[in-house]
Amino acid sequence: MVTDVDLSVRIGSLELAYPTLMGSGCYGSGEEFAPFIDLSKIGGVVLKSVTRAPRLGNPTPRLVQTPAGMLNAIGLQNPGIDWYLEHDVAKFASRPCAVIGSVAGFSVDDYAYVAERLAARDEIHALELNISCPNVAAEGETFACDPRLTARVVKTVRATTDKTLIVKLSPNVTDIAGIAREAESAGADALAVINTVRGMAIDVNAWKPRLGNVTGGLSGPAIRPVAVLAVYEVARAVRIPIVGQGGIETASDALEFLLAGASAISIGTGNFTDPRIPVRIVEELHAYLAARGVRSLREIVGKANVGFANPYQYEGDEG
Amino acid sequence: MRALQSPASVHDVLVLDRTELAPGVVLLGFHAPQLAAVTQPGQFVMAVPPGGERAAVALGIYEAQGDRASVMFFVCGPRTREFAGLREGDRFSVSGPLGNGFTLDGAKNVAIVAGGVGIASVLLPAQALVRSHVRTRLFYGARTAELLVDRERFEREGCEVICATDDGSFGHRGFITQALAATEDKPDLILACGPSPMLRATAFVAGELGVAAQLSLEETFACGVGGCWGCVVPLDRNSAQAPGFPGQDEGGSEVVYARICKEGPVFWAHELRW
């Protein structure tokens, strides 16, 4: 039994006191949740994605509850980078945790323009590149679904800032490991795995889709096994840190991601179940590691012992 | 709408009482002195279903007095079923109070319009109005007499209660908004909570009468605190409640999406662009 467990992690040049980030688009800018949780007890907030021009967002309904999760199709509603820099960013200085800006766009130029301006602000400690939003017409997710586009956008943004660059990947691809490799080669400091899984729900009485946008992104415990596998596959393909996310609600959930190869985790939909989940996870991770004599969270990253269950060892094996 | 939100926090609460007021309509009272002390009429809580992996659900605060607050809801899905299964002595947690409620200042003659379980958000404003000696009428509609839950409570609180049912089993037969339209004693303020068609009809009648109306809207919430932008409604961008940034798309629209959970849930009917 040890009592002194180090839960801090390093993502690129970003130091996090705790391994818990709050997922982009789920947590506003953090202040929305401040009445319910001590923000100094979380690693950081990934802000809602911002684009070059203001966006009204998708028509309603934008949310549907589904078994063990929810579909959303917000559509990147945001004030645009000009307004954001002028009115919103200064307020982030008071957050007692890391503040990670999130950049979305519709062209390589968009991403570079927004990323450079956002990263230039002291209030923003790192950037997440949202190249995987499933809820905007055509271009949104295209970047994360095409290895060459991923490489181009990451390389271009990389040239605009030295701050830690996290690239958020889409699960809606055939080969996430291949795309992860492209992002790493292009200069990403870390990867966020995964964004939401595309989905749809239909109202059988009205005979129409439940979402105004028709399709949406599925999140919550429903996608957790999908996300754990994606982290596992990406971890074997790259050497940069991974921020694992997808349906994490407990320390046990978080541990699955860490053991699969994530260095940190992100909580999104779980905050809607109970805003105290991030602090509870940190306390439980601490207890879990202390009980096993593990002094640092970093020691368990990627330590899932797959043994003979590893499908890759069985490749070509008729048995 | 109140410009400042009340101080919200997370409360672990103990169930004090549970009453099924009508088939599928449950009133759940719980011990929450801090919540009760700061709740404003028209506010809500995000209640965490006790069973585990389900998102919190938004419930209007029905009563808030002394050590006790309560919520009333219609059992319509897995989450409300979990809450309906709670009994005295059980525990659950709520975040709140949340949102901007009704603005009652200056009114002298108020008509409150409630449809079905929309009644859950109008007891607190009714009590506040009666306390201020404001003439307060409740126009209360439901499908059947049985679903006009807690009607007598509003009479005891000092409201005049006018009812309508779809089947005519109590009060007027038809929609409650027809009774509102037919009133000869014109109110100077209308407050409403209920299903969307009723709110739209209320907005229409209010427009015809030339009376300002505040509508408490309902929508699926995810976070309930303004963090996810999932529960929006189109609002005139000149509204005092419009979120503080330009909402225009390519065409420079006059409409902005406001969050029902954060800027609302109560909005001025004439400012909605739905």
PDB file of all heavy atoms in Angstrom, chain B residues 177-196:
ATOM      1  N   THR B 177     -56.699  26.519 -23.888  1.00  0.00           N
ATOM      2  CA  THR B 177     -56.412  27.811 -24.511  1.00  0.00           C
ATOM      3  C   THR B 177     -57.681  28.440 -25.097  1.00  0.00           C
ATOM      4  O   THR B 177     -57.756  29.662 -25.244  1.00  0.00           O
ATOM      5  CB  THR B 177     -55.355  27.634 -25.621  1.00  0.00           C
ATOM      6  OG1 THR B 177     -55.662  26.460 -26.380  1.00  0.00           O
ATOM      7  CG2 THR B 177     -53.962  27.496 -25.029  1.00  0.00           C
ATOM      8  N   GLN B 178     -58.696  27.590 -25.395  1.00  0.00           N
ATOM      9  CA  GLN B 178     -59.989  28.141 -25.840  1.00  0.00           C
ATOM     10  C   GLN B 178     -60.653  28.878 -24.682  1.00  0.00           C
ATOM     11  O   GLN B 178     -61.251  29.938 -24.860  1.00  0.00           O
ATOM     12  CB  GLN B 178     -60.887  27.013 -26.363  1.00  0.00           C
ATOM     13  CG  GLN B 178     -60.337  26.365 -27.635  1.00  0.00           C
ATOM     14  CD  GLN B 178     -61.074  25.080 -28.001  1.00  0.00           C
ATOM     15  OE1 GLN B 178     -61.378  24.258 -27.148  1.00  0.00           O
ATOM     16  NE2 GLN B 178     -61.348  24.916 -29.286  1.00  0.00           N
ATOM     17  N   ALA B 179     -60.545  28.301 -23.488  1.00  0.00           N
ATOM     18  CA  ALA B 179     -61.110  28.961 -22.312  1.00  0.00           C
ATOM     19  C   ALA B 179     -60.380  30.274 -22.039  1.00  0.00           C
ATOM     20  O   ALA B 179     -61.008  31.284 -21.675  1.00  0.00           O
ATOM     21  CB  ALA B 179     -61.014  28.028 -21.101  1.00  0.00           C
ATOM     22  N   LEU B 180     -59.067  30.270 -22.245  1.00  0.00           N
ATOM     23  CA  LEU B 180     -58.288  31.500 -22.056  1.00  0.00           C
ATOM     24  C   LEU B 180     -58.742  32.570 -23.055  1.00  0.00           C
ATOM     25  O   LEU B 180     -58.954  33.730 -22.690  1.00  0.00           O
ATOM     26  CB  LEU B 180     -56.792  31.212 -22.241  1.00  0.00           C
ATOM     27  CG  LEU B 180     -55.859  32.418 -22.194  1.00  0.00           C
ATOM     28  CD1 LEU B 180     -55.806  33.003 -20.782  1.00  0.00           C
ATOM     29  CD2 LEU B 180     -54.448  32.052 -22.648  1.00  0.00           C
ATOM     30  N   ALA B 181     -58.925  32.152 -24.305  1.00  0.00           N
ATOM     31  CA  ALA B 181     -59.324  33.107 -25.337  1.00  0.00           C
ATOM     32  C   ALA B 181     -60.698  33.701 -25.052  1.00  0.00           C
ATOM     33  O   ALA B 181     -60.986  34.838 -25.430  1.00  0.00           O
ATOM     34  CB  ALA B 181     -59.314  32.420 -26.706  1.00  0.00           C
ATOM     35  N   ALA B 182     -61.551  32.918 -24.369  1.00  0.00           N
ATOM     36  CA  ALA B 182     -62.939  33.345 -24.146  1.00  0.00           C
ATOM     37  C   ALA B 182     -63.099  34.204 -22.892  1.00  0.00           C
ATOM     38  O   ALA B 182     -64.189  34.704 -22.623  1.00  0.00           O
ATOM     39  CB  ALA B 182     -63.829  32.105 -24.048  1.00  0.00           C
ATOM     40  N   THR B 183     -62.020  34.360 -22.134  1.00  0.00           N
ATOM     41  CA  THR B 183     -62.174  35.078 -20.852  1.00  0.00           C
ATOM     42  C   THR B 183     -62.534  36.541 -21.070  1.00  0.00           C
ATOM     43  O   THR B 183     -62.036  37.206 -21.985  1.00  0.00           O
ATOM     44  CB  THR B 183     -60.898  34.961 -19.996  1.00  0.00           C
ATOM     45  OG1 THR B 183     -61.166  35.570 -18.726  1.00  0.00           O
ATOM     46  CG2 THR B 183     -59.719  35.683 -20.638  1.00  0.00           C
ATOM     47  N   GLU B 184     -63.431  37.029 -20.236  1.00  0.00           N
ATOM     48  CA  GLU B 184     -63.822  38.442 -20.343  1.00  0.00           C
ATOM     49  C   GLU B 184     -62.993  39.314 -19.428  1.00  0.00           C
ATOM     50  O   GLU B 184     -62.961  40.532 -19.590  1.00  0.00           O
ATOM     51  CB  GLU B 184     -65.327  38.578 -20.027  1.00  0.00           C
ATOM     52  CG  GLU B 184     -66.164  38.065 -21.197  1.00  0.00           C
ATOM     53  CD  GLU B 184     -67.647  37.993 -20.873  1.00  0.00           C
ATOM     54  OE1 GLU B 184     -68.056  38.499 -19.801  1.00  0.00           O
ATOM     55  OE2 GLU B 184     -68.375  37.431 -21.707  1.00  0.00           O
ATOM     56  N   ASP B 185     -62.341  38.673 -18.486  1.00  0.00           N
ATOM     57  CA  ASP B 185     -61.490  39.418 -17.555  1.00  0.00           C
ATOM     58  C   ASP B 185     -60.051  39.314 -18.049  1.00  0.00           C
ATOM     59  O   ASP B 185     -59.336  38.367 -17.741  1.00  0.00           O
ATOM     60  CB  ASP B 185     -61.638  38.787 -16.154  1.00  0.00           C
ATOM     61  CG  ASP B 185     -60.743  39.457 -15.143  1.00  0.00           C
ATOM     62  OD1 ASP B 185     -60.122  40.490 -15.465  1.00  0.00           O
ATOM     63  OD2 ASP B 185     -60.661  38.939 -14.013  1.00  0.00           O
ATOM     64  N   LYS B 186     -59.679  40.303 -18.868  1.00  0.00           N
ATOM     65  CA  LYS B 186     -58.384  40.205 -19.549  1.00  0.00           C
ATOM     66  C   LYS B 186     -57.217  40.312 -18.567  1.00  0.00           C
ATOM     67  O   LYS B 186     -57.118  41.278 -17.812  1.00  0.00           O
ATOM     68  CB  LYS B 186     -58.288  41.314 -20.604  1.00  0.00           C
ATOM     69  CG  LYS B 186     -57.125  41.141 -21.559  1.00  0.00           C
ATOM     70  CD  LYS B 186     -57.228  42.097 -22.719  1.00  0.00           C
ATOM     71  CE  LYS B 186     -56.151  43.160 -22.628  1.00  0.00           C
ATOM     72  NZ  LYS B 186     -56.125  44.029 -23.811  1.00  0.00           N
ATOM     73  N   PRO B 187     -56.313  39.318 -18.567  1.00  0.00           N
ATOM     74  CA  PRO B 187     -55.147  39.398 -17.680  1.00  0.00           C
ATOM     75  C   PRO B 187     -54.136  40.418 -18.211  1.00  0.00           C
ATOM     76  O   PRO B 187     -54.213  40.822 -19.378  1.00  0.00           O
ATOM     77  CB  PRO B 187     -54.560  37.981 -17.744  1.00  0.00           C
ATOM     78  CG  PRO B 187     -54.981  37.462 -19.075  1.00  0.00           C
ATOM     79  CD  PRO B 187     -56.299  38.107 -19.408  1.00  0.00           C
ATOM     80  N   ASP B 188     -53.194  40.837 -17.360  1.00  0.00           N
ATOM     81  CA  ASP B 188     -52.120  41.700 -17.868  1.00  0.00           C
ATOM     82  C   ASP B 188     -50.811  40.923 -18.027  1.00  0.00           C
ATOM     83  O   ASP B 188     -49.805  41.474 -18.467  1.00  0.00           O
ATOM     84  CB  ASP B 188     -51.926  42.942 -16.988  1.00  0.00           C
ATOM     85  CG  ASP B 188     -51.618  42.617 -15.544  1.00  0.00           C
ATOM     86  OD1 ASP B 188     -51.292  41.450 -15.248  1.00  0.00           O
ATOM     87  OD2 ASP B 188     -51.712  43.531 -14.705  1.00  0.00           O
ATOM     88  N   LEU B 189     -50.839  39.638 -17.673  1.00  0.00           N
ATOM     89  CA  LEU B 189     -49.674  38.780 -17.890  1.00  0.00           C
ATOM     90  C   LEU B 189     -50.140  37.328 -17.954  1.00  0.00           C
ATOM     91  O   LEU B 189     -51.021  36.928 -17.200  1.00  0.00           O
ATOM     92  CB  LEU B 189     -48.666  38.942 -16.731  1.00  0.00           C
ATOM     93  CG  LEU B 189     -47.430  38.028 -16.782  1.00  0.00           C
ATOM     94  CD1 LEU B 189     -46.527  38.351 -17.965  1.00  0.00           C
ATOM     95  CD2 LEU B 189     -46.634  38.126 -15.468  1.00  0.00           C
ATOM     96  N   ILE B 190     -49.547  36.600 -18.891  1.00  0.00           N
ATOM     97  CA  ILE B 190     -49.857  35.177 -19.003  1.00  0.00           C
ATOM     98  C   ILE B 190     -48.570  34.390 -18.782  1.00  0.00           C
ATOM     99  O   ILE B 190     -47.517  34.733 -19.330  1.00  0.00           O
ATOM    100  CB  ILE B 190     -50.439  34.852 -20.400  1.00  0.00           C
ATOM    101  CG1 ILE B 190     -51.805  35.541 -20.574  1.00  0.00           C
ATOM    102  CG2 ILE B 190     -50.577  33.345 -20.612  1.00  0.00           C
ATOM    103  CD1 ILE B 190     -52.357  35.492 -21.993  1.00  0.00           C
ATOM    104  N   LEU B 191     -48.655  33.347 -17.961  1.00  0.00           N
ATOM    105  CA  LEU B 191     -47.545  32.421 -17.770  1.00  0.00           C
ATOM    106  C   LEU B 191     -48.020  31.055 -18.245  1.00  0.00           C
ATOM    107  O   LEU B 191     -49.170  30.698 -18.002  1.00  0.00           O
ATOM    108  CB  LEU B 191     -47.156  32.306 -16.291  1.00  0.00           C
ATOM    109  CG  LEU B 191     -46.990  33.591 -15.482  1.00  0.00           C
ATOM    110  CD1 LEU B 191     -46.659  33.240 -14.023  1.00  0.00           C
ATOM    111  CD2 LEU B 191     -45.889  34.464 -16.077  1.00  0.00           C
ATOM    112  N   ALA B 192     -47.167  30.292 -18.902  1.00  0.00           N
ATOM    113  CA  ALA B 192     -47.637  28.995 -19.392  1.00  0.00           C
ATOM    114  C   ALA B 192     -46.553  27.936 -19.336  1.00  0.00           C
ATOM    115  O   ALA B 192     -45.374  28.211 -19.558  1.00  0.00           O
ATOM    116  CB  ALA B 192     -48.152  29.124 -20.822  1.00  0.00           C
ATOM    117  N   CYS B 193     -46.988  26.718 -19.043  1.00  0.00           N
ATOM    118  CA  CYS B 193     -46.118  25.550 -19.110  1.00  0.00           C
ATOM    119  C   CYS B 193     -46.959  24.351 -19.525  1.00  0.00           C
ATOM    120  O   CYS B 193     -48.021  24.114 -18.964  1.00  0.00           O
ATOM    121  CB  CYS B 193     -45.453  25.287 -17.761  1.00  0.00           C
ATOM    122  SG  CYS B 193     -44.239  23.943 -17.831  1.00  0.00           S
ATOM    123  N   GLY B 194     -46.496  23.643 -20.510  1.00  0.00           N
ATOM    124  CA  GLY B 194     -47.245  22.480 -20.988  1.00  0.00           C
ATOM    125  C   GLY B 194     -46.690  22.009 -22.310  1.00  0.00           C
ATOM    126  O   GLY B 194     -45.607  22.422 -22.723  1.00  0.00           O
ATOM    127  N   PRO B 195     -47.439  21.129 -22.983  1.00  0.00           N
ATOM    128  CA  PRO B 195     -46.939  20.609 -24.254  1.00  0.00           C
ATOM    129  C   PRO B 195     -46.787  21.702 -25.307  1.00  0.00           C
ATOM    130  O   PRO B 195     -47.471  22.733 -25.253  1.00  0.00           O
ATOM    131  CB  PRO B 195     -47.980  19.572 -24.668  1.00  0.00           C
ATOM    132  CG  PRO B 195     -49.144  19.776 -23.781  1.00  0.00           C
ATOM    133  CD  PRO B 195     -48.715  20.540 -22.584  1.00  0.00           C
ATOM    134  N   SER B 196     -45.903  21.465 -26.236  1.00  0.00           N
ATOM    135  CA  SER B 196     -45.575  22.476 -27.236  1.00  0.00           C
ATOM    136  C   SER B 196     -46.795  23.030 -27.989  1.00  0.00           C
ATOM    137  O   SER B 196     -46.907  24.249 -28.157  1.00  0.00           O
ATOM    138  CB  SER B 196     -44.542  21.883 -28.196  1.00  0.00           C
ATOM    139  OG  SER B 196     -44.231  22.796 -29.199  1.00  0.00           O
TER     140      SER B 196
END
